[in-house]
Amino acid sequence: MPTAAEPTGATDPAALAERYGLSKSSIRPPLNSYLRELWSRRQFVLSYARARTYAMYAGARLGSFWQVLTPLLNAAVYYLAFGVLLGTKNGIDNYVAFLLTGIFVFTFTQRCMTDGSRSLALNLSLIRTLHFPRATLPLAYVLNELNQMLVSLGLLFVIVGFTDGVTWRWVLVAPAMLLQTMFNIGITLVCARAGTFVSDISQLLPFITRTWLYASGIFFSLPAKLAALDAPSWVIKVLALNPISAYIDIVRRSLLAEHQANQLPNAWKIAIVWSFVMLAGGLVHFWRAEDRYGRG
């Protein structure tokens, strides 16, 4: 029972908040406002991504040289295991460039997913201290991996230039990377939300991405392999719906002349559809839980 000096509803938190002009510290804004605020924080995203890149190699003797050395060592292992021991390089010209293209493109998406799934969990203190669009954190992780991808592409251009020569088709790599980056932003936002509320996701993702790796035609030409096995055309079309296969196919087709004869059907259309659908879907999916990040 409220006293005479205490107005009715004074002990109700909502009434007290309204009386003293208080508002929720964490609230989900309208989507259009959220996107505008996200754009206004672009300098934060750039700075955070640069800081992460520096921190990754700060304690290593070779420093940022690991940005080049890491993908090369991965490619060497896969070349030995699949190209030499399993013989998948047979019948593929310039297999080194062929393999590097697949590994670099796949790793770009793989690392965005696995690192992005931990992007919010590793920054809880920042989330609980400051008010900002939470999507800036997964975006910074994607930007960091894009920087790594550009370094890898530079290395790939050098290798292909010496082995296959330079052609006008190289310019097609730019829109292919733009489409894949759009896809990566969307899927990273999905993984970031999942990793926040289901901690086991970060443990499960390596198994998911490893399975995806073997199904994406990285170590062999997917159309050529299916044609050799007399696979029905619909099987090729279904496998072509794999977004990573489409991005790999486009980049290989842009860099390697011999890959023109073995290309996936409708790769550009599939890449474009996946990019826009995943970007829009990922943004909306992440935004819908904006007011729940950092709680509990």
Side-chain angles (χ1 to χ4, degrees):
M1 228 18 221
T3 64
E6 183 181 9
T8 304
T11 57
D12 179 29
L16 287 173
E18 183 178 0
R19 179 181 177 186
Y20 293 103
L22 302 178
S23 60
K24 289 184 178 180
S25 59
S26 179
I27 189 170
R28 185 182 69 192
L31 182 58
N32 57 346
S33 301
Y34 186 74
L35 293 176
R36 284 196 300 269
E37 188 177 0
L38 194 59
W39 173 251
S40 70
R41 303 284 182 145
R42 59 189 181 277
Q43 289 300 326
F44 168 77
V45 175
L46 291 171
S47 300
Y48 187 78
R50 282 196 296 265
R52 284 202 73 251
T53 301
Y54 175 79
M56 283 175 63
Y57 306 105
R61 286 181 178 273
L62 297 180
S64 59
F65 183 67
W66 280 105
Q67 283 188 282
V68 176
L69 192 57
T70 299
L72 282 179
L73 291 175
N74 286 333
V77 172
Y78 287 128
Y79 179 84
L80 176 63
F82 291 90
V84 177
L85 298 180
L86 297 181
T88 56
K89 68 175 183 176
N90 298 333
I92 299 178
D93 296 331
N94 198 355
Y95 186 73
V96 172
F98 179 92
L99 179 63
L100 284 175
T101 302
I103 290 174
F104 289 165
V105 172
F106 181 82
T107 302
F108 182 25
T109 296
Q110 179 191 40
R111 288 181 60 86
C112 284
M113 291 174 61
T114 54
D115 290 351
S117 68
R118 300 187 293 265
S119 60
L120 299 183
L122 293 177
N123 292 279
L124 280 179
S125 58
L126 183 64
I127 291 173
R128 291 170 177 171
T129 303
L130 301 174
H131 175 72
F132 61 94
R134 309 316 189 196
T136 54
L137 295 173
L139 283 175
Y141 279 67
V142 174
L143 193 60
N144 181 56
E145 295 306 326
L146 177 60
N147 176 63
Q148 171 69 66
M149 181 60 182
L150 293 178
V151 173
S152 300
L153 275 178
L155 175 64
L156 187 59
F157 285 148
V158 172
I159 294 174
V160 175
F162 276 107
T163 55
D164 267 31
V166 180
T167 70
W168 68 268
R169 291 192 305 272
W170 283 22
V171 301
L172 298 177
V173 175
M177 284 296 98
L178 174 62
L179 291 173
Q180 189 184 6
T181 302
M182 292 167 59
F183 174 84
N184 287 354
I185 290 173
I187 200 168
T188 301
L189 289 171
V190 171
C191 291
R193 173 174 171 173
T196 302
F197 303 118
V198 184
S199 58
D200 291 339
I201 287 295
S202 60
Q203 306 299 324
L204 185 62
L205 272 176
F207 298 98
I208 295 174
T209 55
R210 194 174 303 131
T211 303
W212 201 1
L213 171 77
Y214 297 132
S216 299
I218 292 172
F219 312 109
F220 51 85
S221 174
L222 195 56
K225 182 66 69 175
L226 292 174
L229 295 174
D230 237 2
S233 60
W234 67 266
V235 175
I236 299 177
K237 292 179 180 179
V238 169
L239 291 176
L241 294 177
N242 178 352
I244 298 299
S245 295
Y247 298 128
I248 291 174
D249 183 76
I250 292 171
V251 177
R252 279 177 176 163
R253 197 188 313 174
S254 304
L255 296 177
L256 305 172
E258 63 272 11
H259 192 65
Q260 295 292 315
N262 291 310
Q263 54 182 271
L264 291 174
N266 303 315
W268 276 105
K269 292 180 181 178
I270 293 167
I272 291 171
V273 170
W274 267 112
S275 298
F276 281 93
V277 169
M278 184 57 71
L279 177 63
L283 279 170
V284 172
H285 181 69
F286 186 89
W287 161 77
R288 288 176 64 86
E290 178 70 14
D291 55 343
R292 295 165 52 200
Y293 300 126
R295 289 187 178 182

